[in-house]
Amino acid sequence: MGLLNILSHIYDEEILAKLSFLKGIKLFDGIKKRQLIHVLESLQERTYLKGETLFAQGDIGRALFIVFSGKIALSRLDPVTQKSSVIAQVHPGEFFGEMALLEEMPRTATAHATEDTKVFMLFKIKLESLLFARPAIGVVIAAQLAKILSARLRAIIEKPVAE
């Protein structure tokens, strides 16, 4: 019985740590901590080893990735030179691949782990289930997603043109 109590305490602490982490993710702004348990249940956890590819440019996108620990490099292949260059580094607390939540289109970059990395994945189908099962949570995520994509598009549009 003592071991069971210790294991359940550790498990509870692990869940609480994950919920606390999710509370800091911009995509989940406005979702109460007690509601985040439903979000956590919709996420799939996966660990990628250093050098492992999460997805390749051209793969069909079906999930958003949230970096829990480690680091991910996003790179894009230049169609003319056929050279790959890193376009972004993604750190813990950041996410990428959000366009996959809206449409299943080919990925515009390749993602690979630059160190051992743990991610949470939110698949489009899981988000859709959450929208129907918990509309209040789904509406917040959809609104946040719209704001984030709008801000990213605006940053690209307002970026000074190199001469």
Side-chain angles (χ1 to χ4, degrees):
M1 186 72 165
L3 179 60
L4 186 60
N5 285 339
I6 291 170
L7 289 175
S8 93
H9 180 71
I10 291 169
Y11 178 75
D12 290 345
E13 293 228 349
E14 184 180 339
I15 296 294
L16 290 174
K18 289 175 183 176
L19 291 173
S20 182
F21 171 78
L22 292 178
K23 186 72 180 153
I25 303 298
K26 189 173 183 175
L27 185 64
F28 306 130
D29 277 357
I31 298 175
K32 294 178 176 76
K33 196 166 185 176
R34 70 178 185 277
Q35 293 176 310
L36 279 175
I37 192 75
H38 302 294
V39 174
L40 184 58
E41 290 170 346
S42 297
L43 299 175
Q44 182 178 328
E45 251 182 89
R46 173 123 189 243
T47 299
Y48 289 90
L49 300 177
K50 180 179 180 177
E52 195 172 353
T53 299
L54 286 70
F55 57 78
Q57 186 173 335
D59 289 353
I60 298 299
R62 292 185 174 87
L64 163 138
F65 293 78
I66 303 165
V67 178
F68 184 67
S69 64
K71 190 167 45 172
I72 299 293
L74 299 175
S75 57
R76 187 173 292 144
L77 184 66
D78 184 300
V80 177
T81 65
Q82 292 298 304
K83 290 189 178 185
S84 183
S85 58
V86 173
I87 56 171
Q89 296 279 341
V90 189
H91 301 90
E94 298 176 335
F95 58 91
F96 60 98
E98 62 279 359
M99 288 170 45
L101 296 180
L102 301 173
E103 56 186 5
E104 292 181 8
M105 296 289 292
R107 297 282 189 182
T108 58
T110 295
H112 70 273
T114 56
E115 55 191 66
D116 291 355
T117 303
K118 182 183 275 191
V119 297
F120 293 115
M121 296 180 286
L122 176 58
F123 285 86
K124 183 177 190 271
I125 195 156
K126 288 290 193 173
L127 177 60
E128 290 167 351
S129 295
L130 197 58
L131 281 164
F132 290 108
R134 307 262 176 206
I137 296 171
V139 166
V140 171
I141 293 173
Q144 283 302 111
L145 187 58
K147 287 179 189 175
I148 291 162
L149 289 172
S150 175
R152 290 184 180 178
L153 180 59
R154 185 172 287 108
I156 291 168
I157 291 169
E158 294 175 355
K159 189 175 181 180
V161 179
E163 293 187 29

